[in-house]
Amino acid sequence: MNKENLDSKISFDTILSEIWEMLKDGAEKSKSDFHLGIICTINNNKPKSRTVVLRKVDQNKNTLIFHTDNRSGKIDEINKNPNISWLFYSNESKIQLRLEGKASVHTDDELFEQQWASSKLISRKCYLIYDQPGSSIKEHDGCLDQSLAGGLPTEEQSEVGKVNFSVVETKIDSIEWLHLKASGHLRAKFILDKDRFKGEWLVP
Ligand SMILES: Cc1cc2nc3c(=O)[nH]c(=O)nc-3n(C[C@H](O)[C@H](O)[C@H](O)COP(=O)(O)O)c2cc1C
């Protein structure tokens, strides 16, 4: 494949703006392939991955946001080691994104309040479980108060879970884009340099 041809077809600026558009779409639309991402943190020197919902994307700040229970294992992992990676794949567009950066946990600031205010009751219900996520229990019982088991909490009941809610913000400093194509896969890397992402092509 003629590399010059490939490069002239798509510029780094175009790829970057498509990346941020796909991510914003992911945060806004539950049907988007990028609505769910895999985040990987470090637990005792070993990688640990899990699925989360991409809740907010701020291109000006280069940040991605997810919500979690502040009693969950990943909070302790992030507090000990803020290095985090996000992985997305869209089967529709055949694009994989690998993003890396530093995560910070928000539990009492403006961002926290905004994200809590915009959380639906169905999401807030997760924060009403009375035991620490991941701790062992003798029998599975949903870990919710009987009155909540079958349905949604009221707004007032949901406020009880606010103490367990946290917002994790990742400041992205590196992005790797892989586009699978029958004509030849394309792979590019973007590294944050001062305030701009600088691109380079990689062997796919
Ligand atoms: C489709 C899907 C979406 C999920 N979204 C979230 C989420 O937004 N936040 C979250 O903390 N956990 C979410 N989870 C659960 C996590 O994958 C994980 O099991 C849980 O957070 C415990 O992780 P930890 O013990 O590593 O902290 C989701 C799981 C699935 C399957």
Side-chain angles (χ1 to χ4, degrees), residues 36-37 41 48-55 66-69 71-75 77 127 133-134:
L36 295 175
T41 50
K48 197 165 181 186
S49 309
R50 77 289 278 162
T51 313
V52 293
V53 176
L54 176 61
R55 295 285 177 185
F66 71 91
H67 296 167
T68 197
D69 190 310
R71 300 166 294 175
S72 69
K74 65 183 92 48
I75 292 294
E77 287 156 25
Y127 304 101

Side-chain angles (χ1 to χ4, degrees), residues 18 22 34 88-90 93-97 177-179:
E18 278 178 14
M22 284 188 297
F34 283 13
F88 297 90
Y89 177 63
S90 164
S93 61
K94 306 283 180 232
I95 288 175
Q96 172 182 268
L97 290 184
W177 170 91
L178 175 69
H179 190 183

Side-chain angles (χ1 to χ4, degrees), residues 78 162 186:
I78 289 166
K162 192 174 176 184
L186 299 181

